[in-house]
Amino acid sequence: MGEPKSFLTHKRQPVGYRAVEERIHDFNEMDLPLTPDEITQQAKRCMDCGIPFCHGAGCPLGNSIPDFNELVFKGRWQQACQLLHSTNNFPEITGRLCPAPCETACTLGISDEPVLIKHIEYQIVEKGFKQGWIKPELPSRKTGKRIAVIGSGPAGLAASQQLVRSGHDVVVFEKDEMVGGLLRYGVPDFKLAKHVIDRRLRQLEAEGVQFQTGVNVGDDISAHYLRKMFDCICLTMGAGQPRDLNVPGRGYENILYAMDYLITQNKIIASEPINERRIMKAENKIVVVIGGGDTGSDCVGTARRQKAKKIYQLEILPEPPESRPVDTPWPMWPRVMRTSSSHEEGCERRWSVSTKEFLGGGGINAEKLHGCEVEWIKKNANWKIEEIPGTDFFLDVDLVILATGFLHVAHEGLINDMALKLDSQGNVPTDNYQTSDPQIFAAGDTISGPSLVVSAIHSGRQAAAAIDKWLCPNIGD
């Protein structure tokens, strides 16, 4: 490292956001990137720790973090860009959306603030696009093998790019009208502007990836057709089965899943046609978001931009501590209180509360939420929830958004038609990414359940390597 003790003289400089009073009036991205000089200072805080836990324990992709930090510090940005892309197909996505487990595994974070890894990654790839360093990479040979990839989220796109670069012909089938999966439809524009996806898709198309959109595989085309027309199939549909909230009153029309809410807003911004009956905006409404994770936070930020009158976010788990607790020691991902940019824009967060029922006045919409406070009690090594007597409460509601997570890939349609084996969680189990049908591989949330975007990219890359070896076992021997 150029200055291995710079962490002693330079502090971490966090990335800023546009002012709240400005950003809540639009859906534009919020980050205020650091200047080149500031990024150089942040890169040289990397401390040459010897064993880079950021690279091993922290990053599912195994990004060579200390190496690209040093290249940035030395002004060798193009090499840093090449190195970053050697492990990560879409650093512009992870540089915006990843929760950065690499930073919580940073050795410097044991006694100081960790290196600003995620934003350095973002700066590298954005400079790469600006300078024209990121170009299509064409294969040196063609194998004549045809592969169908079902789903165009991060796992599907990563697998497709790796496969087409290996010389295979790749067709990606996407049920929606535009490519990107939940990156396009599930992530708000204020976190990921959609031109960022389109920019990368132009590279994939130039490399030879074919996209067929508006095709619901299992309905529009059959599993039999795929098996006949392709040498191999890769399933990357994601964990699309939402976790429901089975309480009395769940059927009211103003109670909807988070993805239905977010997808509708993203389609409105993109001027895509939507079902008018399902438009549910938060303007002048009391909104209750049930679920305290990232998806719930995205719903809070979206409701704020839709000019909600009041926003609550309810979480059944206890409020996390402010600092790293003993049960998640370094370099593990810590169970700590996290306040997102959406929370800063205004909502009332409540912890350790359970929703008991929804009440209406005889109409089609819920008017009140009945809940109570709960405590978590450990019995025989298992945690159980118990209601706290006398803590019942009622909230007026105009719109309820269920951000209670996802269970597994949707089974109805293609998964059932293919008669694939499922595990006890409802995921598609694989052996080196190969399912119970040898012709069918799977990756991403299809096999793991809901996970991080960085994990999905890694899974797609690994699945592509397994497919390539299965189709062409003698090449490279």
Side-chain angles (χ1 to χ4, degrees):
M1 302 299 292
E3 293 186 21
K5 295 185 179 180
S6 287
F7 66 91
L8 296 173
T9 55
H10 293 94
K11 303 301 293 181
R12 177 183 169 101
Q13 183 175 350
V15 181
Y17 299 123
R18 292 190 292 131
V20 170
E21 56 270 20
E22 173 192 337
R23 69 185 193 239
I24 61 173
H25 297 293
D26 61 56
F27 280 84
N28 299 329
E29 287 191 354
M30 303 174 299
D31 285 1
L32 298 175
L34 301 186
T35 66
D37 287 343
E38 290 169 336
I39 281 295
T40 299
Q41 278 195 353
Q42 293 304 302
K44 69 182 180 181
R45 292 186 72 238
C46 193
M47 60 186 295
D48 192 18
C49 58
I51 300 177
F53 284 85
C54 60
H55 157 81
C59 181
L61 281 165
N63 287 338
S64 300
I65 294 165
D67 299 299
F68 71 60
N69 282 336
E70 182 174 13
L71 290 170
V72 168
F73 165 65
K74 292 181 176 179
R76 293 156 61 181
W77 285 84
Q78 187 169 4
Q79 284 181 267
C81 189
Q82 293 171 345
L83 180 65
L84 182 55
H85 279 89
S86 70
T87 56
N88 187 352
N89 296 70
F90 314 122
E92 69 278 16
I93 303 296
T94 55
R96 287 171 165 84
L97 302 182
C98 184
C102 55
E103 294 188 10
T104 59
C106 174
T107 303
L108 184 56
I110 297 174
S111 58
D112 199 343
E113 293 184 293
V115 177
L116 196 70
I117 300 168
K118 176 180 173 180
H119 190 63
I120 294 171
E121 179 178 316
Y122 165 92
Q123 291 267 11
I124 291 170
V125 66
E126 289 302 319
K127 191 174 184 70
F129 274 112
K130 184 177 181 180
Q131 297 296 328
W133 299 331
I134 301 172
K135 300 176 181 178
E137 298 179 21
L138 302 180
S140 59
R141 57 163 175 88
K142 296 290 286 185
T143 66
K145 303 293 185 180
R146 299 187 74 230
I147 303 164
V149 176
I150 317 303
S152 66
L157 293 178
S160 301
Q161 186 167 54
Q162 295 299 107
L163 288 166
V164 80
R165 288 177 176 179
S166 295
H168 307 298
D169 293 320
V170 180
V171 180
V172 178
F173 294 95
E174 169 57 52
K175 62 180 175 60
D176 287 308
E177 295 303 317
M178 299 184 72
V179 175
L182 288 184
L183 292 177
R184 183 177 298 278
Y185 292 105
V187 179
D189 283 50
F190 57 81
K191 289 178 64 176
L192 175 63
K194 301 310 178 271
H195 69 80
V196 174
I197 303 172
D198 297 333
R199 179 179 63 183
R200 182 63 76 171
L201 291 178
R202 289 192 288 271
Q203 182 195 35
L204 270 70
E205 289 174 330
E207 291 173 345
V209 178
Q210 301 174 51
F211 295 103
Q212 293 195 18
T213 58
V215 179
N216 192 353
V217 179
D219 291 332
D220 299 325
I221 58 176
S222 67
H224 176 75
Y225 170 85
L226 292 176
R227 287 190 174 99
K228 286 287 187 181
M229 298 301 294
F230 293 90
D231 298 288
C232 182
I233 303 163
C234 185
L235 306 179
T236 59
M237 291 93 75
Q241 185 66 47
R243 179 181 287 108
D244 207 346
L245 183 63
N246 295 313
V247 298
R250 165 64 180 90
Y252 286 113
E253 289 196 4
N254 60 339
I255 304 172
L256 62 158
Y257 289 121
M259 278 301 116
D260 291 339
Y261 176 65
L262 295 173
I263 288 170
T264 298
Q265 178 58 52
N266 282 350
K267 286 187 174 184
I268 289 172
I269 293 173
S271 299
E272 286 192 50
I274 54 178
N275 184 344
E276 293 291 332
R277 196 181 74 82
R278 294 302 300 157
I279 295 178
M280 193 71 72
K281 286 196 170 185
E283 186 173 3
N284 294 323
K285 293 179 179 177
I286 300 173
V287 178
V288 176
V289 178
I290 299 178
D294 288 341
T295 301
S297 171
D298 292 345
C299 293
V300 169
T302 300
R304 176 57 60 211
R305 284 159 179 76
Q306 291 180 349
K307 301 182 176 10
K309 180 165 60 176
K310 173 73 176 178
I311 305 173
Y312 297 94
Q313 187 176 23
L314 308 184
E315 172 57 63
I316 197 169
L317 294 172
E319 182 174 352
E322 293 291 338
S323 58
R324 184 190 287 270
V326 294
D327 61 347
T328 52
W330 177 90
M332 293 174 62
W333 178 256
R335 181 179 57 84
V336 296
M337 170 66 81
R338 291 179 171 86
T339 301
S340 72
S341 58
S342 294
H343 296 141
E344 293 172 353
E345 293 161 4
C347 76
E348 182 178 327
R349 303 171 77 183
R350 298 186 64 172
W351 305 87
S352 296
V353 296
S354 175
T355 300
K356 300 178 71 171
E357 63 177 334
F358 298 102
L359 305 169
I364 61 174
N365 290 330
E367 296 178 358
K368 288 187 180 296
L369 178 150
H370 176 200
C372 68
E373 296 181 10
V374 298
E375 60 179 340
W376 290 77
I377 299 175
K378 198 169 189 178
K379 294 182 178 180
N380 300 322
N382 295 315
W383 288 98
K384 294 186 177 181
I385 305 172
E386 292 189 2
E387 294 185 11
I388 300 175
T391 63
D392 283 46
F393 63 88
F394 293 85
L395 295 176
D396 292 332
V397 298
D398 298 308
L399 174 61
V400 179
I401 303 171
L402 303 181
T404 45
F406 301 88
L407 297 174
H408 47 67
V409 65
H411 299 158
E412 184 178 355
L414 186 60
I415 296 295
N416 289 338
D417 291 348
M418 288 181 165
L420 298 177
K421 290 183 179 178
L422 302 173
D423 64 20
S424 59
Q425 283 76 46
N427 302 315
V428 177
T430 61
D431 181 3
N432 193 26
Y433 298 92
Q434 195 168 32
T435 71
S436 54
D437 183 328
Q439 190 184 359
I440 302 173
F441 288 69
D445 292 1
T446 298
I447 66 175
S448 67
S451 63
L452 303 178
V453 63
V454 67
S455 299
I457 295 171
H458 170 72
S459 182
R461 289 173 62 90
Q462 296 300 108
I467 291 169
D468 184 47
K469 187 173 183 179
W470 184 72
L471 289 174
C472 305
N474 297 321
I475 294 179
D477 290 349

